[in-house]
């Protein structure tokens, strides 16, 4: 599949790019600051910038799969009193607004039979509210809602949308105590991407295929 992965230069995005190449897919990755990888085609992109999104879409070309992976966790370990407006604004810009901007820009490259994978998190489920990570949890709940709305909107155009929890992954964001390796997460997520079709559009699944509460 001709695939675009946002935020592919580190963490889960990098693991997804490597696994996609291993499976024989044609992978393009976006990066904001720096990237490397001999077999990945790179496109520089600030996902929160509409003009940059339009430029990247012109450079990308036809796609079978768009993976909206780029995101931030700015309030990790932050007390309620210390969550700032800028922290909220920047979190929603990267984790929610940027997903919609990416989809809008790349619609010209997706055709009937195309697939969109949105990396959300189980931390965005309405049933999982332990009283922390206020900005991140709210943004991932919004990303989940956005994905389900896109699934309904794009179904008549033959485009399937899946929303996914990558697991608690050992990355800079997840931390060293996380219980899933980036490689295992990427393998599971690619299994989900390759199985995604209109009958599964709108589903919220973990990397291992477990259906998650909304």
């Amino acid at each position: 599949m001709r695939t675009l992965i946002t935020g592919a230069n580190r963490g889960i995005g990098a693991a997804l790019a490597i696994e996609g190449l291993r499976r024989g897919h044609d992978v393009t990755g976006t990066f904001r600051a720096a990237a490397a990888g001999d077999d990945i085609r790179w496109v520089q992109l600030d996902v929160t910038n509409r003009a940059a999104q339009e430029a990247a879409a012109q450079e990308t070309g036809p796609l079978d799969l768009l993976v909206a992976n780029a995101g931030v966790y700015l309030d990790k370990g932050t007390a309620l009193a210390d969550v700032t407006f800028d922290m909220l604004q920047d979190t929603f810009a990267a984790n929610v607004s940027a997903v919609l901007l990416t989809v809008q820009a790349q619609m010209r490259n997706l055709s009937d039979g195309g697939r969109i994978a949105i990396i959300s998190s189980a931390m965005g489920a309405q049933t999982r509210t332990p009283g922390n990570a206020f900005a991140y949890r709210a943004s991932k709940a919004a990303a989940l809602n956005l994905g389900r709305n896109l699934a309904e909107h794009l179904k008549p155009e033959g485009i399937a949308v899946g929303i996914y929890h990558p697991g608690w992954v050992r990355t800079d964001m997840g931390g060293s105590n996380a219980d899933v390796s980036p490689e295992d997460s990427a393998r599971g997520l690619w299994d989900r991407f390759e199985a995604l079709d209109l009958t599964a559009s709108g589903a919220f699944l973990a990397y291992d295929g477990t259906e998650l509460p909304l």
Side-chain angles (χ1 to χ4, degrees):
M1 287 189 287
R2 296 165 297 182
T3 302
L4 177 68
I5 303 172
T6 63
N9 60 310
R10 61 188 179 90
I12 295 169
L16 286 171
I18 292 167
E19 178 65 17
L21 289 174
R22 190 189 68 79
R23 295 183 183 217
H25 298 296
D26 179 5
V27 177
T28 298
T30 79
F31 68 98
R32 183 174 181 177
D38 293 340
D39 298 318
I40 299 170
R41 187 163 72 95
W42 292 103
V43 175
Q44 188 165 10
L45 174 63
D46 176 354
V47 291
T48 66
N49 184 297
R50 183 181 290 277
Q53 287 278 12
E54 291 298 319
Q58 292 180 23
E59 188 176 348
T60 300
L63 293 174
D64 303 300
L65 171 64
L66 167 63
V67 183
N69 164 77
V72 298
Y73 188 178
L74 301 180
D75 63 329
K76 183 177 181 179
T78 303
L80 173 60
D82 296 325
V83 177
T84 65
F85 177 79
D86 286 346
M87 193 179 290
L88 286 163
Q89 188 176 52
D90 292 346
T91 299
F92 271 78
N95 294 357
V96 187
S97 302
V99 175
L100 185 57
L101 290 177
T102 304
V103 172
Q104 287 176 325
Q106 294 295 337
M107 281 301 298
R108 73 185 70 182
N109 295 322
L110 286 163
S111 58
D112 191 349
R115 312 172 197 196
I116 298 171
I118 295 173
I119 306 302
S120 180
S121 171
M123 290 175 70
Q126 298 299 315
T127 54
R128 299 187 181 185
T129 52
N132 60 22
F134 301 98
Y136 184 78
R137 288 182 185 277
S139 72
K140 289 303 185 179
L144 168 58
N145 183 278
L146 175 61
R148 288 177 60 81
N149 271 283
L150 284 170
E152 288 302 313
H153 182 78
L154 295 176
K155 193 174 291 185
E157 299 185 41
I159 296 175
V161 181
I163 308 98
Y164 302 100
H165 168 55
W168 183 21
V169 185
R170 291 190 293 274
T171 62
D172 289 344
M173 184 182 292
S176 59
N177 293 325
D179 54 11
V180 181
S181 72
E183 295 77 15
D184 284 345
S185 176
R187 281 191 288 270
L189 287 169
W190 266 106
D191 287 344
R192 310 285 80 73
F193 301 163
E194 291 175 341
L196 177 60
D197 59 19
L198 290 177
T199 63
S201 193
F204 183 32
L205 303 176
Y207 74 101
D208 61 1
T210 303
E211 188 169 354
L212 297 172
L214 300 177

